[in-house]
Amino acid sequence: MEIITDCISPHVNQAQEGHMQLVWRQPAKAEDRARVVAWSCPCQSTVYELRRLGGQSYIRRTEYDDDGGRKIYETYRWSYNKAAETWAALLAGQMV
Ligand SMILES: [Zn+2]
């Protein structure tokens, strides 16, 4: 594994063989009241956040392009436990 010392937040691993595919939906309206519980390293052009809103949790994927634009995708809403499990699998490259 490559270690970049300037980075504090975790990097998402490359997709492993046999990984599961998450459903990424483009939200009609970006919800910004959610609490961000964890996030992947912003040194990469795609940043993932584990978010919590009310009693539900989900993962947001933000893809930044070179022109300063961004695209936002989100998973379905889950319980916190399910979202935290999915978050760990995502970081490990077991889910994409
Ligand atoms: Zn980094």
Side-chain angles (χ1 to χ4, degrees), residues 6-17:
D6 285 347
C7 296
I8 296 164
S9 303
H11 296 125
V12 172
N13 264 315
Q14 271 198 322
Q16 306 295 303
E17 218 180 298

Side-chain angles (χ1 to χ4, degrees), residues 30-69:
E31 175 59 71
D32 283 319
R33 286 177 303 142
R35 192 152 60 88
V36 180
V37 182
W39 52 90
S40 68
C41 189
C43 77
Q44 298 178 329
S45 61
T46 301
V47 176
Y48 296 86
E49 292 172 338
L50 175 58
R51 298 178 145 235
R52 206 164 183 173
L53 181 65
Q56 296 186 304
S57 298
Y58 60 99
I59 297 169
R60 172 183 285 192
R61 183 176 99 200
T62 307
E63 293 175 0
Y64 295 93
D65 60 37
D66 295 335
D67 307 322

